[in-house]
Amino acid sequence: MTYSSFTEFRNSILTYLKQEKEYYDKDIEASESLTDAQKIETGLLIDKADISSALPPFYILSVNENNTKLRAGDKVLLVSDVKKTEARIVENLEKTITVESSEELDSLKSYRIEVHEFALLDPLIQLTQKIEEGAIGSYWMEILANVKHPNSVGYKPIDVNSVKTIPPSLNEEQRQCIKQVLDRPTFCCLQGPPGTGKTDVLAVTANTYSSQGYNVLIISNTHQAVNNALNKIYSINRHLSVVKIGDKLKSDNLDNGITCAQTYNEYLTSKSKKKAKGRLKSHDIVGMTFQAAVINLGLRKNKFIPTIVLVDEAGQIPLSQGALLGAFGGNTIVLIGDDLQMPPIFHEKLIDNELSVSVFTYLCNLYPKFKHVLKVTYRMNEEITKMVSDKFYLPHGITLEASNFSAHRTLEIKSSCGDERIDKILNSSQSIHQIDVSNSSLWKDENTEEAEFISSLIKSAISNGLKSKQMAVITPYRKQVKKIRECVSKALSCKDDIPLIDTVERLQGQDVDLIIISMSITDKQYWEQQKQFVMNPNRLNVMLSRAKKKVIIVGRPTSVFLP
């Protein structure tokens, strides 16, 4: 992609966003015309929810069929008779949903829970239109358009030898990355493959800049990623002024020492009060989602001016959104991520558009000298590291290495459950296993045989000392998630022992000792239709690389490639 000017690049981004909005608006309109059965199947509706417990404004609703992907803080409509009540999700489980409602709900009535989709592209379009040549954010777009070149050293670089915030525990490549960031370049891209300590680098960088008297902005696409980054930062220096801006329901896993402001205005008001009392810290570390930054820092008058913007999980941010990062006011933008893990999401009709690429990948290709790669993993043992390295990174010229800390990790369980297949797998020192348990060729996105085998596997592992938090089950399909949860729930006497069972998106940023993968598909025709989705290298990379000690792949040998 080549552009002759800032205006040409800006207009191409604007055209892309408008086209994307048009496609999503048509999808939303089409979803409104679906039958109730179709809405239930696609997770847009729960047709019957009964209040089982009430402590206003909180209500627990029992449901029969729940295909939704709702998370804490999401808004829904509760419909009873002709009345519609807006509520927020507190917790979404398979059979119960906890909501918060400002209006009192009637425990004698049944409710329909309606999920409404939103494109949320209008703020991006408005900000893109706002960025004129010479305005804040235009220089960043000129860098992306390649009509201006980035600087590797900026104004008043920080001398790495003068700071005391870089711990000796960091390895040499991590220290070199931080040193480059302290030079205050226009931007840099840090690729952090699984378990290589990219969040540690982010945290040390934020601590160093804040300790030097500079404001730091932390942004990512999801609240979970922002929360994880802020927790890591605060854990290395509890004297820092760390603030999360966002819904408190989406900040429930934050360290208690981190200030949580519901809105940007709440943060500014709190800051003004501290200033009036003479207790204002001039350098804050503020975290929020990318969408919140667009609204609070891009479209409004920005009273928080960061020196550095740290973008976590940057490989998931599309170029059309990443083009707006300069509007947030940072002199240095650090993109931290891995474009070989979860990819950004584009509308399917734009998938072949040349702008359908992550801002991380785009910049790495355009300015390779500004890219740094971490290669030593502290998560996976040697066997899993080699598999992940050979299959996903070596084709891109990157060889991963297991650190001494993780290389010799093993998971051996003295299982004697009576199923020779399970005993053989759990008692083995081998780290990677693949087993086919399906006798039928009719299974597609729901495989009962795999679900029952996995439930027996989990039961044996737990009965022999492995805790539920030390394992996770991943599958590509929501139907298989439900089937496995159902089988595991029946197999275990204590519901607290049920491990994480979900699609790969929910596992991003986490790691456990044991990963169990259910591929589900055995139908050849369906396999041909779904192969591109199931075998997406980025998704497989995330599935496999969350494991520290053992990976068990349940599925036909033809459906998964291994070394």
Side-chain angles (χ1 to χ4, degrees):
M1 290 179 279
T2 57
Y3 300 92
S4 60
S5 66
F6 154 80
T7 302
E8 183 184 1
F9 178 78
R10 195 278 305 269
N11 288 344
S12 69
I13 293 294
L14 190 57
T15 300
Y16 183 96
L17 288 169
K18 288 180 177 180
Q19 183 67 75
E20 191 170 32
K21 173 178 166 54
E22 182 181 330
Y23 288 146
Y24 278 122
D25 284 346
K26 288 181 178 178
D27 290 346
I28 293 170
E29 185 179 342
S31 70
E32 293 298 320
S33 64
L34 295 175
T35 65
D36 280 359
Q38 290 170 324
K39 288 181 179 179
I40 292 169
E41 177 69 20
T42 54
L44 295 176
L45 173 68
I46 295 176
D47 67 338
K48 190 174 186 294
D50 297 313
I51 297 175
S52 60
S53 179
L55 188 63
F58 300 103
Y59 300 85
I60 299 177
L61 297 101
S62 299
V63 299
N64 290 325
E65 185 170 3
N66 179 8
N67 296 317
T68 68
K69 299 180 182 179
L70 295 165
R71 297 189 180 186
D74 290 348
K75 293 181 180 180
V76 295
L77 283 178
L78 303 179
V79 183
S80 177
D81 301 326
V82 294
K83 185 178 181 181
K84 294 185 176 182
T85 304
E86 190 174 274
R88 291 195 309 162
I89 299 296
V90 177
E91 185 178 45
N92 182 19
L93 302 177
E94 184 182 2
K95 295 296 183 181
T96 61
I97 294 180
T98 304
V99 299
E100 179 183 13
S101 172
S102 58
E103 294 186 38
E104 187 173 351
L105 302 182
D106 189 342
S107 60
L108 299 178
K109 292 182 178 180
S110 290
Y111 289 85
R112 286 162 58 95
I113 301 178
E114 295 182 356
V115 181
H116 291 272
E117 299 176 301
F118 303 95
L120 296 176
L121 288 170
D122 285 333
L124 305 182
I125 293 171
Q126 292 171 27
L127 184 53
T128 305
Q129 292 171 327
K130 179 182 175 182
I131 301 175
E132 300 287 348
E133 192 164 6
I136 293 176
S138 63
Y139 177 60
W140 176 247
M141 284 196 177
E142 288 172 331
I143 296 296
L144 293 170
N146 201 20
V147 296
K148 287 191 177 178
H149 197 76
N151 298 315
S152 58
V153 180
Y155 179 66
K156 289 187 177 180
I158 301 172
D159 181 9
V160 68
N161 297 313
S162 67
V163 301
K164 299 179 180 179
T165 48
I166 303 177
S169 57
L170 296 185
N171 64 39
E172 184 57 30
E173 61 184 18
Q174 291 170 331
R175 297 174 68 87
Q176 284 301 314
C177 286
I178 293 172
K179 181 181 182 302
Q180 295 298 316
V181 175
L182 296 184
D183 282 339
R184 301 184 66 180
T186 305
F187 82 92
C188 69
C189 292
L190 169 59
Q191 183 175 1
T196 52
K198 66 180 179 63
T199 308
D200 292 309
V201 172
L202 179 152
V204 171
T205 301
N207 181 31
T208 301
Y209 267 82
S210 179
S211 298
Q212 291 289 314
Y214 299 114
N215 285 334
V216 179
L217 174 63
I218 308 292
I219 60 175
S220 188
N221 260 356
T222 66
H223 285 274
Q224 185 61 49
V226 174
N227 296 345
N228 290 343
L230 294 181
N231 282 340
K232 174 65 78 170
I233 293 167
Y234 194 65
S235 71
I236 64 174
N237 186 352
R238 303 187 76 83
H239 298 290
L240 293 172
S241 175
V242 183
V243 181
K244 164 71 187 299
I245 297 175
D247 194 314
K248 285 183 169 60
L249 286 176
K250 293 183 179 291
S251 305
D252 61 342
N253 64 331
L254 278 177
D255 189 293
N256 291 332
I258 296 174
T259 301
C260 186
Q262 191 89 354
T263 64
Y264 183 61
N265 286 338
E266 183 180 320
Y267 161 66
L268 294 177
T269 301
S270 173
K271 192 168 183 176
S272 296
K273 289 180 179 178
K274 288 181 180 179
K275 184 177 181 180
K277 294 181 179 180
R279 293 191 286 109
L280 175 66
K281 294 185 178 180
S282 60
H283 44 281
D284 287 347
I285 297 174
V286 177
M288 65 184 83
T289 63
F290 177 86
Q291 192 76 25
V294 167
I295 296 170
N296 295 322
L297 306 183
L299 293 175
R300 297 175 180 171
K301 188 175 181 180
N302 185 5
K303 296 183 179 180
F304 169 77
I305 308 296
T307 296
I308 184 170
V309 179
L310 299 174
V311 186
D312 198 16
E313 305 294 359
Q316 298 180 39
I317 295 181
L319 175 59
S320 57
Q321 297 180 23
L324 304 176
L325 289 170
F328 305 151
N331 296 324
T332 294
I333 298 174
V334 183
L335 298 104
I336 304 169
D338 183 11
D339 52 0
L340 298 179
Q341 295 190 62
M342 292 302 290
I345 297 175
F346 314 102
H347 193 281
E348 59 184 14
K349 291 184 178 179
L350 289 171
I351 200 68
D352 294 324
N353 190 299
E354 63 179 4
L355 293 177
S356 291
V357 63
S358 77
V359 66
F360 186 89
T361 299
Y362 180 85
L363 283 167
C364 288
N365 291 336
L366 190 60
Y367 302 107
K369 291 184 179 179
F370 286 76
K371 174 184 177 181
H372 310 278
V373 184
L374 301 176
K375 299 175 183 176
V376 179
T377 176
Y378 294 84
R379 175 191 300 162
M380 302 172 287
N381 66 22
E382 194 166 26
E383 188 178 347
I384 300 174
T385 298
K386 187 178 188 310
M387 175 185 64
V388 170
S389 179
D390 290 350
K391 290 300 178 183
F392 306 114
Y393 292 91
L394 198 57
H396 298 273
I398 301 171
T399 301
L400 301 186
E401 175 187 346
S403 66
N404 292 333
F405 176 76
S406 64
H408 304 293
R409 285 174 167 164
T410 59
L411 180 63
E412 295 181 57
I413 297 174
K414 295 180 179 179
S415 173
S416 57
C417 69
D419 188 323
E420 292 183 3
R421 302 169 301 174
I422 292 175
D423 292 341
K424 182 178 180 181
I425 290 172
L426 293 181
N427 295 340
S428 172
S429 61
Q430 182 181 333
S431 297
I432 303 168
H433 303 265
Q434 181 164 343
I435 182 169
D436 174 26
V437 299
S438 299
N439 296 316
S440 171
S441 61
L442 300 178
W443 303 112
K444 295 182 179 181
D445 53 359
E446 178 183 309
N447 189 321
T448 303
E449 289 171 330
E450 286 187 13
E452 291 176 346
F453 175 81
I454 288 169
S455 67
S456 297
L457 186 65
I458 290 171
K459 182 177 181 180
S460 181
I462 289 176
S463 65
N464 285 279
L466 192 66
K467 297 186 182 302
S468 59
K469 291 182 178 180
Q470 295 174 302
M471 68 182 93
V473 182
I474 319 172
T475 181
Y477 300 105
R478 296 297 303 173
K479 282 187 178 180
Q480 186 67 349
V481 169
K482 288 183 63 178
K483 179 60 66 175
I484 296 173
R485 285 178 179 169
E486 178 185 313
C487 292
V488 172
S489 181
K490 289 179 180 178
L492 300 180
S493 57
C494 179
K495 304 311 176 189
D496 293 337
D497 283 338
I498 297 178
L500 173 66
I501 304 169
D502 219 313
T503 57
V504 66
E505 288 81 4
R506 291 292 300 274
L507 199 66
Q508 179 76 347
Q510 302 182 56
D511 56 60
V512 291
D513 289 344
L514 169 63
I515 288 289
I516 304 170
I517 301 172
S518 173
M519 302 309 292
S520 183
I521 303 174
T522 60
D523 185 322
K524 290 183 179 180
Q525 183 178 353
Y526 189 76
W527 164 247
E528 289 302 321
Q529 296 171 357
Q530 297 289 305
K531 181 165 55 177
Q532 188 172 2
F533 166 71
V534 176
M535 297 301 292
N536 178 281
N538 297 67
R539 295 171 64 84
L540 282 174
N541 184 12
V542 176
M543 286 184 183
L544 297 167
S545 64
R546 302 306 98 184
K548 295 190 286 187
K549 298 178 180 179
K550 192 183 285 283
V551 176
I552 303 172
I553 303 167
V554 185
R556 289 284 172 90
T558 54
S559 67
V560 180
F561 58 84
L562 288 174

